[in-house]
């Protein structure tokens, strides 16, 4: 193994059969993106007072469209992508194949989940939005389908863990390659974080939708939702961070700055992502103010590893820019390989995420949250996080992954490098609309095109949202054009033959306390302790009121 143990430098490519399964997982992600995008445009236009929803064949309501948009983009696109991406990186990092049966089980669980959920949503039996709040009741296929999507991520985690464990057995005393460690840590956090939603769906909402139990407790299920629903955002984000730390430095000619810092950042996410969910419930009754304040404090804690990431990744980029001849304070930025579509997409993902992160801090501030909660500000925030950092990184990775996986050269790379610019310009206009509208009280999750009321500044805000959203849609169509043409006419044999993985500036220690960082099991135990502190008091003192029958108002 090389001096910088980020990955095993011997050339390695997964057996084609296994690669095909991972590739199809990513194709499911791209299909979800198509569905999500079409409904995204309709949502954005609605803010501008334009109702195109009525022209969608088979669409019954605004909320059905919004459910498709949310579920397709943040539940299917993200996890289908990561189910393909993370195991690919792990197997490459340790130069070992994955477990075949587990790999197939992951794929089929995902596909079955997506089919069931799609059935529920497209037949208008699950217009409950992605948050699935009781007492709104969806068809049972919605809960079961999404539970299967979650199960697929557990199977993918088991597969990666087994692969790494087999490597460790063959390499006693050696540090786990960094790329494998951070990929497994990302999904390990998610496995822990997803247990509450599994309990809510399988223990309450699914039996309730089947008529096996008559009533559920809405607040209890909502709390289980956000128990998972906050850390889920880091399950979307961390695969992007994996790319920013371990792949992007190589793509720009720099190096990963610190092995120990990188491991530490992912461990902090494992520890701090979960005990923060009450920051989505500041206005909910039935939860003590003290516990909400504790979660606010923890939220400021989980801000830290992202700040560390900002500095660390910027240092890697600066190293690359300077190696390419960039001088002065900021001259290195221009020298970065902006012409490489994969790099351009991810650099813009980072830049737009700066504003996403700042707006998150505003949300997290307990009292300031009162100003923005349930307003258009919130979708403003999350389109600059999941809709930028995550989405543009998925696109950036796809720009090298599709050629790598199919052996075909990327079609029209210049167009591809322009695409993330169009997206980011659209995003800034769009988010400016939602953010300013939100500050002036414009609501979220409301069909503004049919609202019989308006407020000061909403017209401009709505127009900017609609214009920005339309530009973003054009950009995604450019992406589909590039990827579609790559499939159809991409030249065989001119694609990259290996994954772009960085070297680290210095190798990880082989003695001393930092070697203990690799013991993921212990960190999981520590995370559980923090979760018990943050959620124990609520669950110990809450008396469940199974009061609510299901409502289907769609
Ligand atoms: Fe959030 C609501 C707080 C991050 C997603 N968030 C949401 C919702 C979503 C979401 C979907 O405290 C709405 C849920 C719903 O439907 O109701 N959020 C935060 C905080 C952070 C944060 C403190 N959110 C995210 C991420 C998301 C996401 C990440 C998706 C992936 N959020 C909240 C709160 C609410 C909320 C409240 C509830 C609001 C309410 O009232 O309902 C932080 O983790 C953010 C940390 C990020 C940073 C930025 C670091 C910047 C980096 C880029 C570096 C740049 C470089 C540029 C390297 C500190 C790493 C160099 C480039 C060159 C070219 C030089
Ligand atoms: Cu959150």
């Amino acid at each position: 193994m090389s001096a910088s143990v980020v990955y095993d430098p011997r050339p390695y490519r997964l057996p084609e059969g296994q690669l095909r399964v991972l590739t199809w997982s990513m194709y499911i992600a791209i299909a979800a993106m198509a569905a999500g995008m079409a409904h995204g445009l309709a949502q954005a236009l609605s803010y501008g007072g334009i109702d195109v929803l009525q022209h969608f064949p088979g669409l019954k309501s605004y909320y059905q469209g919004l459910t498709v948009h949310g579920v397709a983009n943040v539940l299917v696109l993200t996890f289908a992508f990561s189910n393909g991406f993370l195991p690919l990186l792990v197997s490459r990092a340790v130069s070992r194949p994955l477990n075949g049966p587990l790999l197939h089980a992951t794929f089929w669980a995902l596909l079955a989940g997506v089919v069931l959920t799609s059935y529920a949503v497209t037949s208008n039996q699950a217009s409950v939005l992605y948050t699935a709040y009781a007492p709104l009741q969806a068809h049972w296929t919605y809960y079961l389908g999404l539970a299967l999507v979650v199960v697929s991520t557990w199977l993918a985690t088991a597969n990666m863990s087994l692969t790494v464990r087999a490597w460790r057995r063959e390499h006693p005393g050696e540090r786990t390659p960094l790329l494998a460690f951070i990929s497994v840590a990302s999904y390990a956090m998610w496995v822990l974080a997803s247990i509450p939603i599994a309990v809510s769906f399988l223990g309450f909402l699914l039996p309730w939708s089947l008529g096996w139990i008559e009533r559920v407790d809405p607040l209890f299920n909502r709390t289980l939702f956000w128990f998972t629903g906050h850390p889920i955002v880091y399950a979307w984000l961390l695969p992007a961070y994996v790319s920013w730390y371990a792949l992007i430095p190589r793509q720009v000619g720099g190096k990963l700055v610190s092995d120990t810092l990188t491991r530490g950042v992912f461990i902090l996410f494992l520890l701090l992502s979960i005990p923060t969910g009450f920051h989505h419930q500041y206005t909910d009754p039935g939860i003590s103010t003290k516990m909400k304040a504790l979660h606010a404090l923890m939220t400021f804690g989980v801000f830290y590893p992202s700040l560390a990431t900002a500095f660390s990744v910027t240092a890697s980029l600066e190293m690359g820019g300077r190696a390419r001849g960039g001088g002065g304070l900021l001259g290195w930025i221009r020298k970065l390989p902006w012409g490489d579509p994969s790099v351009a997409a991810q650099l813009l993902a980072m830049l737009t995420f700066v504003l996403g992160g700042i707006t998150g801090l505003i949300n997290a501030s307990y009292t300031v949250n009162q100003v923005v909660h349930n307003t258009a500000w919130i979708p403003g925030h999350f389109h600059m996080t999941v809709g930028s950092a995550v989405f543009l990184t998925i696109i950036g990775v796809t720009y090298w992954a599709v050629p790598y996986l199919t052996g075909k050269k990327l079609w029209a790379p210049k167009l591809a490098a322009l695409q993330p610019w169009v997206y980011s310009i659209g995003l800034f206009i769009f988010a400016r609309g939602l953010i300013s509208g939100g500050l002036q009280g414009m609501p979220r999750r409301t069909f503004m095109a049919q609202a019989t009321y308006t407020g000061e500044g909403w017209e401009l805000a709505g127009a900017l949202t609609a214009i920005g959203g339309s530009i973003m849609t054009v950009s995604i169509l450019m992406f589909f054009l590039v990827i579609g043409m790559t499939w159809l006419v991409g030249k065989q044999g001119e694609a990259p033959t290996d994954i772009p993985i960085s070297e680290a500036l210095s190798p990880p220690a082989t003695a001393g306390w930092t070697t203990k960082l690799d013991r993921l099991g212990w960190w999981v135990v520590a995370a559980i302790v923090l979760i018990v502190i943050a959620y124990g008091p609520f669950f110990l003192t809450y008396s469940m009121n199974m009061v609510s029958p299901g409502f289907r108002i769609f």
Side-chain angles (χ1 to χ4, degrees):
M1 184 130 316
S2 85
S4 75
V5 198
V6 178
Y7 69 111
D8 186 335
R10 288 171 302 165
Y12 178 76
R13 193 172 164 90
L14 265 179
E16 287 303 318
Q18 296 205 345
L19 274 183
R20 209 169 307 127
V21 181
L22 298 176
T23 310
W24 274 96
S25 191
M26 293 198 190
Y27 289 169
I28 293 180
I30 294 178
M33 193 191 284
M37 171 204 72
H39 286 281
L41 176 65
Q43 301 298 326
L45 291 178
S46 150
Y47 275 106
I50 304 165
D51 175 10
V52 293
L53 282 164
Q54 51 182 319
H55 305 301
F56 277 63
L59 195 75
K60 299 281 186 316
S61 74
Y62 165 81
Y63 290 104
Q64 191 187 2
L66 189 52
T67 305
V68 177
H69 180 62
V71 169
N73 277 335
V74 300
L75 300 181
V76 180
L77 163 61
T78 47
F79 288 116
F81 169 78
S82 299
N83 277 1
F85 180 55
L86 295 178
L88 175 70
L89 293 185
V90 166
S91 76
R92 178 61 193 90
V94 298
S95 293
R96 286 185 70 91
L98 296 160
N99 176 302
L102 265 177
L103 183 65
H104 283 94
T106 305
F107 178 79
W108 291 112
L110 175 78
L111 187 63
V114 172
V115 169
L116 285 177
T117 311
S118 304
Y119 163 73
V121 176
T122 53
S123 60
N124 194 35
Q125 299 183 79
S127 300
V128 299
L129 306 183
Y130 87 100
T131 40
Y133 287 157
L136 284 180
Q137 190 184 58
H139 192 256
W140 62 269
T141 46
Y142 182 76
Y143 304 114
L144 185 64
L146 289 179
L148 279 171
V149 171
V150 172
V151 167
S152 79
T153 61
W154 294 350
L155 294 168
T157 312
N159 202 344
M160 292 190 285
S161 306
L162 286 177
T163 307
V164 172
R165 189 182 298 170
W167 181 90
R168 282 176 71 100
R169 225 174 282 130
E170 282 171 7
H171 299 79
E174 284 185 39
R175 296 295 299 274
T176 306
L178 178 67
L179 178 58
F181 179 82
I182 60 179
S183 302
V184 177
S186 301
Y187 255 18
M189 183 284 288
W190 164 244
V191 168
L192 203 55
S194 58
I195 294 169
I197 198 71
V199 170
S200 169
F201 276 24
L202 299 177
F204 296 95
L205 303 184
L206 178 64
W208 178 59
S209 66
L210 286 165
W212 298 348
I213 54 174
E214 215 174 293
R215 290 158 194 273
V216 293
D217 178 334
L219 179 66
F220 189 78
N221 279 285
R222 197 173 149 103
T223 304
L224 286 175
F225 180 86
W226 287 118
F227 197 155
T228 296
H230 177 68
I232 203 175
V233 312
Y234 299 121
W236 306 331
L237 179 71
L238 291 184
Y241 276 11
V242 169
S243 175
W244 298 359
Y245 272 107
L247 312 188
I248 274 288
R250 172 64 162 267
Q251 290 176 277
V252 303
K255 284 197 167 153
L256 186 144
V257 173
S258 162
D259 179 285
T260 303
L261 176 96
T262 310
R263 284 178 211 253
V265 160
F266 281 79
I267 289 167
L268 282 175
F269 275 113
L270 176 58
L271 292 174
L272 298 175
S273 290
I274 305 170
T276 54
F278 287 160
H279 70 221
H280 293 267
Q281 295 181 282
Y282 287 151
T283 57
D284 279 16
I287 300 168
S288 89
T289 305
K290 282 195 193 103
M291 294 315 292
K292 289 177 182 172
L294 177 68
H295 283 225
L297 200 69
M298 301 289 252
T299 306
F300 285 97
V302 78
F303 201 72
Y304 170 74
S306 282
L307 277 183
T309 301
F311 285 105
S312 173
V313 172
T314 305
S316 294
L317 296 177
E318 180 174 351
M319 233 181 280
R322 292 202 187 282
R324 299 165 64 88
L329 194 61
L330 296 173
W332 55 270
I333 296 177
R334 245 177 350 107
K335 290 283 181 188
L336 291 169
W338 290 95
D340 175 341
S342 172
V343 171
Q346 295 183 68
L347 293 179
L348 289 166
M350 296 168 196
L351 285 172
T352 46
F353 187 47
V354 172
L355 292 182
I358 294 168
T359 49
L361 208 54
I362 292 164
N363 298 344
S365 308
Y366 196 167
T367 45
V368 184
N369 180 270
Q370 303 283 323
V371 180
V372 296
H373 185 61
N374 277 340
T375 72
W377 165 287
I378 302 298
H381 159 67
F382 67 68
H383 283 87
M384 291 192 290
T385 51
V386 65
S388 73
V390 176
F391 188 74
L392 281 175
T393 300
I394 290 177
I395 282 185
V397 167
T398 308
Y399 280 145
W400 66 253
V402 165
Y404 169 76
L405 292 166
T406 60
K408 293 178 177 175
K409 186 173 180 262
L410 193 73
W411 184 82
K414 282 204 178 117
L415 183 71
L418 182 68
Q419 178 268 325
W421 283 100
V422 177
Y423 187 83
S424 302
I425 291 166
L427 178 72
F428 278 132
I429 298 171
F430 169 85
R432 162 66 170 75
L434 289 174
I435 289 280
S436 68
L439 288 177
Q440 291 176 299
M442 186 164 78
R444 69 181 285 204
R445 294 184 157 179
T446 303
F447 192 17
M448 295 310 292
Q450 279 185 2
T452 51
Y453 50 89
T454 184
E456 205 190 323
W458 293 10
E459 211 164 298
L460 174 65
L464 290 173
T465 306
I467 293 168
S470 306
I471 298 174
M472 289 156 79
T473 309
V474 169
S475 148
I476 302 171
L477 289 174
M478 290 164 70
F479 168 74
F480 282 125
L481 181 67
V482 170
I483 293 300
M485 291 302 279
T486 304
W487 272 320
L488 290 174
V489 301
K491 270 201 212 124
Q492 270 293 348
E494 287 183 37
T497 52
D498 202 1
I499 298 171
I501 308 175
S502 316
E503 302 279 312
L505 213 47
S506 55
T510 47
W513 68 271
T514 49
T515 58
K516 306 244 183 325
L517 290 178
D518 293 1
R519 307 282 284 276
L520 216 47
W522 290 108
W523 294 113
V524 170
V525 173
I528 292 172
V529 171
L530 287 175
I531 292 166
V532 168
I533 294 171
Y535 273 103
F538 174 82
F539 286 105
L540 285 175
T541 55
Y542 187 76
S543 55
M544 232 200 293
N545 286 311
M546 306 280 269
V547 290
S548 201
F551 290 92
R552 290 194 181 188
I553 49 172
F554 35 86

